[in-house]
């Protein structure tokens, strides 16, 4: 298995020309989030011919809006779901090993303000360590008041008894998704963004492909494959219903979306490389304060939502919850005017077929893989940390249903992603974004025109050109939301840089970079409902 050492060009005309060629693929994936990209990578690594299309940009939806944690799921341990925790802990180690420039260990501190909290949570976290075994990232420690304040210098001191320190991981979700896409491409997969699937193709009651459409030109392509995978996250029911109507078997929705809101403020509110974690807030939800790319993420909420819009907006009560709960644990409480960016992610929770989906705590956070009567494989649920295990389960379903000949699993267990350095990584994910985020490709970026032209926010002219030439970027949003994470970190700064980025993209691509659409979107990331 050979991964190209030099970055592969992602010229769109060439990608569409390949898509237009008549070919029957072994596996075709609809959906370019973590799950779909993981499936494409696993299949390509096993030697299958693979094509993947996404309606928007890779990781545009849920997969760029995570809480940025690579974790085993401490709260699932409290629920007694040992199998889910054990799997996630194994996958956590794998992910951190395969992309250390994008995913790294992170220490968490759980402050105690009641005498029973330290021993109670500490015992649970020691069980977490025991489950991790050799995959553990560091031992759980019981900290006194003084050491707690060393780790969390702005934690509220009144009534502070001590804390428990434990380890999990954090990552740059959108850039990791991009690394999955580019690694799959280096192994021969064809991955195309902005190419929505418009319809499924059935023959004799079996799904044999789909029709997709270039979002810019409207040109349509018929893709044929021995197996078709629906990996569209919170949108999987749309394709399932399309499939059911074609074969005369109506389907019941399987996804109950849950909304998670994240607020970003400056690091001065918690100037530390440790994250703060509150396992049970006033209403029973979890609160995180996570250092990430030079800023601080506060969140997250877990609210049921009936619609599955592309850009969900926060509910007023969610913002109030995060700010009020943060004020209970930080000496200086962030206010509305301190918010640099606010963004929302939808989680595809899998509900029982007789469940109305109103209580997100009772809905499964495990992933589900289904095969319809037509042979359409649907995968949804789960979480970023377990994307690789989910991909293996999808391939196994393709084997057991006779869609593909079986090939051994485990090929991605030790498969470094594009950019993975061989030497130990010196930077932290909590550091401000910059050239180090590119791993071994930093030299290629440095060699691009404009490497010395700093645009601000950790972005250079060369990075924009690299995104256009080698990272599938088509629009200003692609660059400022997912190749750079500036929209998620500081929406005002992203608005400031957008015209310059648009000019560079016009030079590189000769197409409309959709500047006005981005400026409107960035305003949403600044809007706080009152």
């Amino acid at each position: 298995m050979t991964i190209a050492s030099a970055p592969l060009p992602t010229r769109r005309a060439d990608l569409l020309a390949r898509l237009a060629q008549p070919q029957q693929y072994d596996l075709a994936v609809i959906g370019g989030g973590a799950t779909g990209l993981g499936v494409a990578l696993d299949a390509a690594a096993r030697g299958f011919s693979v094509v993947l299309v996404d309606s928007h940009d890779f990781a545009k939806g849920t997969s760029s809006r995570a809480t940025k944690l690579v974790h085993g799921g401490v709260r699932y341990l409290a629920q007694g779901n040992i199998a889910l925790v054990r799997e996630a802990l194994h996958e956590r180690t794998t992910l951190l090993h395969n992309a250390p420039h994008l995913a790294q260990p992170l220490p968490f501190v759980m402050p105690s303000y009641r005498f029973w909290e330290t021993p109670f949570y500490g015992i649970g976290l020691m069980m977490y360590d025991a489950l991790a075994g050799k995959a553990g990232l560091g031992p759980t420690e019981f900290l006194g008041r003084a050491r707690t304040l060393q780790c969390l210098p702005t934690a509220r001191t009144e009534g502070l008894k001590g804390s428990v320190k434990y380890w999990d991981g954090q990552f740059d979700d959108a850039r990791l998704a991009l690394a999955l896409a580019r690694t799959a491409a280096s192994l021969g997969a064809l991955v195309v963004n902005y190419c929505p699937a418009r319809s499924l193709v059935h023959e004799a009651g079996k799904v044999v492909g789909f029709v997709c459409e270039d979002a810019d030109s409207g040109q349509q392509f018929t893709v044929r494959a021995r197996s078709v995978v629906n990996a569209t996250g919170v949108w999987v029911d749309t394709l399932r219903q399309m499939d059911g109507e074609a074969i005369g078997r109506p389907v019941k929705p399987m996804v109950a979306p849950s909304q998670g809101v994240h607020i970003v403020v400056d690091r001065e509110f918690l100037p530390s490389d440790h994250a703060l974690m509150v396992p049970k807030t006033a209403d029973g939800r979890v609160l995180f304060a996570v250092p990430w790319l030079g800023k601080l993420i506060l969140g997250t909420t877990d609210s049921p939502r009936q619609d599955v819009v592309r850009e969900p907006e926060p509910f007023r009560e969610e913002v109030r919850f995060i700010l009020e709960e943060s004020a209970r644990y930080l000496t200086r409480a962030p206010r509305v005017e301190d918010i640099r960016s606010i963004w929302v992610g939808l989680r595809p929770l899998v509900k029982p077929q007789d469940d109305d989906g109103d209580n997100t705590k009772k809905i499964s956070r495990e992933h589900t893989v289904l095969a319809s009567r037509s042979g359409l494989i649907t995968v949804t649920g789960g979480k970023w940390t377990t994307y690789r295990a989910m991909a293996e389960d999808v391939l196994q379903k393709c084997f057991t249903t006779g869609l593909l000949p079986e090939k051994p699993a485990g090929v991605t267990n030790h498969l470094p992603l594009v950019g993975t350095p061989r030497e130990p990584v010196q930077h932290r994910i909590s550091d401000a974004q910059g050239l180090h985020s590119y791993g071994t490709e930093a030299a290629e970026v440095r060699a691009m025109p404009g490497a010395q032209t700093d645009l601000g926010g950790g972005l250079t002219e060369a990075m924009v050109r690299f995104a256009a030439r080698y990272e599938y970027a088509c629009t200003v949003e692609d660059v400022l939301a997912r190749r750079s994470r500036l929209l998620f970190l500081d929406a005002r700064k992203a608005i400031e840089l957008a015209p310059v980025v648009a000019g560079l993209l016009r030079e590189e691509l000769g197409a409309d970079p959709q500047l006005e659409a981005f400026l409107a979107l960035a305003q949403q990331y600044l809007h706080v409902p009152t």
Side-chain angles (χ1 to χ4, degrees), residues 139-308:
T140 293
E141 300 177 66
F142 294 87
L143 306 183
R145 191 174 187 276
R147 285 195 62 199
T148 299
L149 291 173
Q150 287 178 350
C151 297
L152 303 175
T154 54
R156 181 169 63 86
T157 57
E158 181 182 357
L160 180 64
K161 311 297 184 187
S163 65
V164 183
K165 176 180 174 179
Y166 73 101
W167 289 82
D168 251 325
Q170 71 171 162
F171 72 137
D172 184 337
D173 50 2
R175 287 203 63 83
L176 185 66
L178 182 64
L180 292 176
R182 296 180 62 217
T183 306
S186 74
L187 294 173
L190 171 60
V191 296
V192 187
N193 52 357
Y194 294 106
C195 197
R198 296 302 188 193
S199 62
L200 296 172
V201 177
H202 291 82
E203 292 178 0
K206 296 296 182 182
V207 64
V208 295
F210 55 81
V211 176
C212 56
E213 180 180 286
D214 175 31
D216 182 41
S217 67
Q219 181 182 1
Q220 292 198 335
F221 307 86
T222 298
V223 174
R224 300 183 66 87
R226 299 164 70 182
S227 56
V228 178
V229 175
N230 173 14
T232 52
V234 292
W235 295 276
V236 292
D237 287 328
T238 300
L239 273 179
R240 291 180 65 240
Q241 290 165 1
M242 191 184 300
D243 178 56
E245 290 170 1
I247 62 174
R249 295 189 65 87
V251 299
K252 292 184 68 174
M254 65 183 291
V255 169
S258 168
Q259 173 164 298
V261 173
H262 306 80
I263 288 173
V264 177
V265 296
D266 288 334
R267 281 282 288 279
E268 64 189 53
F269 289 96
L270 184 62
S272 172
D273 290 320
H274 292 67
L276 182 151
M277 191 266 207
V278 178
K280 193 171 184 179
T281 57
D283 70 352
R285 285 183 283 189
V286 177
L287 178 73
F288 291 101
V290 180
W292 185 70
L293 300 182
K295 298 291 184 181
L296 184 72
I297 298 175
L298 302 173
T300 177
T301 58
D302 195 5
S303 308
R305 183 166 187 141
Q306 300 306 314
D307 57 345
V308 285

Side-chain angles (χ1 to χ4, degrees), residues 455-475:
L455 304 179
L459 187 67
T460 66
E461 178 184 316
M463 292 175 184
V464 178
R465 296 189 187 280
F466 189 82
R469 296 182 192 183
Y470 302 109
E471 294 184 328
Y472 297 92
C474 298
T475 71

Side-chain angles (χ1 to χ4, degrees), residues 307-526:
D307 57 345
V308 285
V309 295
R310 217 21 102 162
E311 287 287 348
E313 296 192 43
F315 302 134
R316 180 175 61 181
E317 56 271 22
E318 293 177 306
V319 177
R320 184 186 303 121
F321 162 75
I322 293 173
L323 293 179
E324 288 180 354
E325 288 300 315
S326 298
R328 291 164 56 90
Y329 295 95
L330 298 175
T331 54
R332 181 185 164 204
R335 298 168 298 179
V336 168
E337 53 266 36
D338 297 312
I339 295 175
R340 298 296 185 185
S341 185
I342 183 168
W343 36 275
V344 183
L346 296 180
R347 303 182 184 96
L349 305 185
V350 180
K351 62 180 179 179
Q353 292 300 287
D354 59 351
D355 194 289
D356 60 10
D358 286 338
N359 187 344
T360 63
K361 294 179 182 178
K362 295 181 180 178
I363 301 175
S364 175
R365 279 158 167 77
E366 297 182 71
H367 67 271
T368 295
V369 183
L370 300 176
S372 76
R373 290 291 183 92
S374 75
L376 177 69
I377 305 296
T378 293
V379 55
T380 194
K383 56 182 179 176
W384 238 118
T385 306
T386 57
Y387 83 88
R388 199 196 65 82
M390 293 168 68
E392 290 194 335
D393 287 351
V394 170
L395 267 292
Q396 188 59 45
K397 180 66 77 172
C398 292
F399 302 152
T400 57
T401 52
L403 297 172
L404 292 175
E406 187 159 358
K407 295 185 179 183
V411 293
T412 57
N413 219 342
H414 302 287
L415 178 64
L417 302 184
V418 165
T420 296
R422 294 183 178 180
E423 302 299 322
V425 174
Q426 300 301 316
H427 77 280
R428 294 184 292 257
I429 302 295
S430 57
D431 295 340
Q433 59 184 349
L435 196 60
H436 51 260
S437 302
Y438 293 83
T440 57
E441 292 188 317
E444 278 86 359
V445 178
R446 200 181 293 114
M448 298 283 292
Q452 304 305 315
T453 305
D454 183 7
L455 304 179
L459 187 67
T460 66
E461 178 184 316
M463 292 175 184
V464 178
R465 296 189 187 280
F466 189 82
R469 296 182 192 183
Y470 302 109
E471 294 184 328
Y472 297 92
C474 298
T475 71
V476 174
E477 182 191 335
D478 296 346
V479 173
L480 290 177
R482 289 172 293 276
R483 279 48 174 192
S484 161
R485 307 311 310 278
L486 196 55
L487 177 63
F488 286 75
L489 296 166
D490 189 336
R492 287 184 182 84
K493 189 66 176 178
I495 290 171
E496 177 188 326
L497 299 190
V500 177
V501 171
L504 292 170
L505 288 177
R506 284 193 194 94
E507 284 182 29
E508 291 289 332
L509 304 174
D512 176 16
Q514 300 180 27
L515 173 61
E516 295 305 318
F518 175 77
L519 294 176
L521 175 64
Q523 288 296 332
Q524 181 177 321
Y525 281 62
L526 287 173

Side-chain angles (χ1 to χ4, degrees), residues 65-139:
R65 302 157 190 271
T67 312
K68 319 307 179 195
L69 302 181
V70 182
H71 62 102
V74 173
R75 63 174 170 170
Y76 308 139
L77 182 62
Q79 296 168 5
N81 198 334
I82 302 299
L84 179 60
V85 175
R86 193 185 300 275
E87 177 185 65
L89 286 168
H90 170 77
E91 294 302 323
R92 179 188 70 177
T93 301
T94 301
L95 200 160
L96 267 58
H97 175 76
N98 288 343
H101 58 307
L102 298 173
Q104 298 170 1
L106 176 71
F108 288 73
V109 176
M110 196 182 292
S112 302
Y113 291 90
R114 287 173 286 189
F115 72 92
W116 57 268
E117 289 179 319
T118 295
F120 178 78
Y121 293 121
I123 291 171
L125 288 166
M126 291 175 74
M127 291 176 59
Y128 193 56
D129 287 351
L131 281 174
K134 293 181 180 179
L137 303 178

